[in-house]
Amino acid sequence: MSAALIILGVLLLIVIVLALWVAGIYNSLVALRNRFKNAFAQIDVQLKRRYDLIPNLVETAKGYMKHEHDTLEDVIKARNIAYTASQSAAANPADAGAVKNLVSAESGLTGALSRLMVVSEKYPDLKANQNMMQLTEELTSTENKISFARQAFNDSVTVYNTTRETFPNVIFAGMFGFTDAQLFQIEDVTERSAPKVSFN
């Protein structure tokens, strides 16, 4: 009877060790997923700031750029599309499709802002406007913060994906519903740089 108890005790100990090992894998994946979700939240804060600045920028430019109605409308339209995409991605940063849509919308917004800045160069009074200079300075600062936040997000996603894909984690990641996370990267090489917002 004592040999059976020893075998049962050893088997129970093995089961407990395996359960703790699997729980450790699960907990590390949860921690890494939460880290990249937090990193996305930092991007979201900066994007919201950017989206709030853009209507003020367009309103300031409207008085000077009366013949550039289409350009101004394009910026607002691109801003609204990007804002909607950011809300969808913020609801679930682990959704690769939502992050891809946000990247695409952000590329469109960057292009529209770049066109606005190029057109605004034709208007010296606009370039000299104190409000416009302050808005563009804030926008430039926000673009830099977005860039740093994207880098932190991509670093967190890379660590999460690497941990999720290594053996033996990959076996349990699928069972527990840990899917691949999408990097926040610009796909079009021409859109990799922030829009030029200098009025000097």
Side-chain angles (χ1 to χ4, degrees):
M1 183 77 169
S2 65
L5 283 176
I6 292 173
I7 292 173
L8 186 63
V10 169
L11 289 176
L12 186 60
L13 183 62
I14 290 171
V15 168
I16 290 171
V17 168
L18 284 175
L20 290 173
W21 179 63
V22 170
I25 290 172
Y26 178 83
N27 290 340
S28 70
L29 289 171
V30 167
L32 291 172
R33 181 176 59 191
N34 288 341
R35 189 175 300 154
F36 86 72
K37 284 183 175 184
N38 178 55
F40 186 85
Q42 303 311 310
I43 294 174
D44 194 44
V45 166
Q46 297 306 322
L47 290 177
K48 283 185 173 120
R49 183 170 191 269
R50 180 186 192 205
Y51 301 148
D52 290 343
L53 286 171
I54 290 171
N56 296 333
L57 188 75
V58 169
E59 280 302 313
T60 301
K62 254 186 202 176
Y64 296 92
M65 300 172 65
K66 295 184 189 333
H67 303 294
E68 307 293 345
H69 188 268
D70 291 343
T71 303
L72 297 171
E73 268 189 23
D74 288 347
V75 170
I76 291 298
K77 195 181 303 180
R79 179 248 183 220
N80 293 339
I81 291 168
Y83 180 74
T84 302
S86 88
Q87 290 196 319
S88 175
N92 186 9
D95 179 1
V99 173
K100 268 192 167 181
N101 287 341
L102 176 59
V103 169
S104 175
E106 279 295 310
S107 294
L109 178 57
T110 299
L113 278 173
S114 294
R115 287 189 297 280
L116 173 64
M117 296 308 148
V118 167
V119 169
S120 66
E121 292 289 325
K122 299 182 207 173
Y123 300 89
D125 292 341
L126 176 60
K127 288 172 38 174
N129 180 291
Q130 192 65 33
N131 193 29
M132 189 68 168
M133 288 172 28
Q134 181 182 359
L135 285 169
T136 56
E137 186 176 316
E138 286 182 42
L139 189 59
T140 300
S141 170
T142 302
E143 292 293 340
N144 290 334
K145 290 175 185 174
I146 290 170
S147 178
F148 290 127
R150 283 180 184 158
Q151 181 179 353
F153 174 76
N154 285 343
D155 290 345
S156 296
V157 165
T158 300
V159 170
Y160 166 79
N161 283 340
T162 301
T163 302
R164 191 187 75 74
E165 294 168 4
T166 56
F167 184 80
N169 298 358
V170 69
I171 296 168
F172 300 106
M175 288 189 328
F176 294 134
F178 290 95
T179 58
D180 195 37
Q182 178 71 38
L183 293 172
F184 197 125
Q185 58 191 23
I186 306 298
E187 293 173 6
D188 185 348
V189 178
T190 61
E191 296 169 348
R192 287 185 184 271
S193 58
K196 181 182 176 205
V197 290
S198 172
F199 283 97
N200 297 331

